[in-house]
Amino acid sequence: MASSSIIKMGNDEFILYIRKKTNVCSLGNKVIGRKIWDWLEPRGATKTKKQPQHAYWIKAEKVEEYMLPEHATQFEFDRAILPELYSYLDELAMM
């Protein structure tokens, strides 16, 4: 895998996408985060740090379990899987 095909994104971005897409998702952020990692790991993703980091919007009003996450894990993976990943996020959004 060429280094130019590697992208770094995190659960905070994926959860924001889900929360903006619909308000029917009944999954909490921790469940969503775990499902995302379970989907990414077999596709060659790696975590950039062992511990989740503060999300960019740590001081926002909407930080809570069913809105935006306070902490997020960052991943590195091949950008070629993004279309398939976003299809999976669409599925999660409807749960």
Side-chain angles (χ1 to χ4, degrees):
M1 187 167 18
S3 63
S4 65
S5 69
I6 300 299
I7 190 169
K8 181 179 177 182
M9 295 180 77
N11 277 341
D12 50 347
E13 296 162 286
F14 304 138
I15 292 170
L16 175 61
Y17 172 80
I18 289 170
R19 299 298 185 214
K20 285 175 73 175
K21 182 171 181 62
T22 182
N23 62 0
V24 301
C25 181
S26 64
L27 301 176
N29 293 337
K30 290 178 183 175
V31 172
I32 293 171
R34 183 74 216 169
K35 287 182 173 292
I36 291 169
W37 173 241
D38 288 347
W39 189 93
L40 283 170
E41 186 178 30
R43 290 162 178 85
T46 58
K47 293 180 180 180
T48 61
K49 297 189 185 231
K50 294 276 185 204
Q51 296 297 319
Q53 304 298 304
H54 286 294
Y56 288 111
W57 46 70
I58 189 69
K59 304 260 187 214
E61 293 178 19
K62 300 283 186 187
V63 173
E64 59 181 74
E65 183 62 18
Y66 293 90
M67 294 296 274
L68 300 175
E70 181 178 354
H71 297 91
T73 301
Q74 298 294 310
F75 310 107
E76 288 184 347
F77 54 90
D78 188 328
R79 69 180 64 232
I81 68 170
L82 279 171
E84 188 181 356
L85 172 58
Y86 275 87
S87 291
Y88 180 65
L89 296 177
D90 290 342
E91 291 175 28
L92 292 178
M94 301 313 292
M95 293 183 161

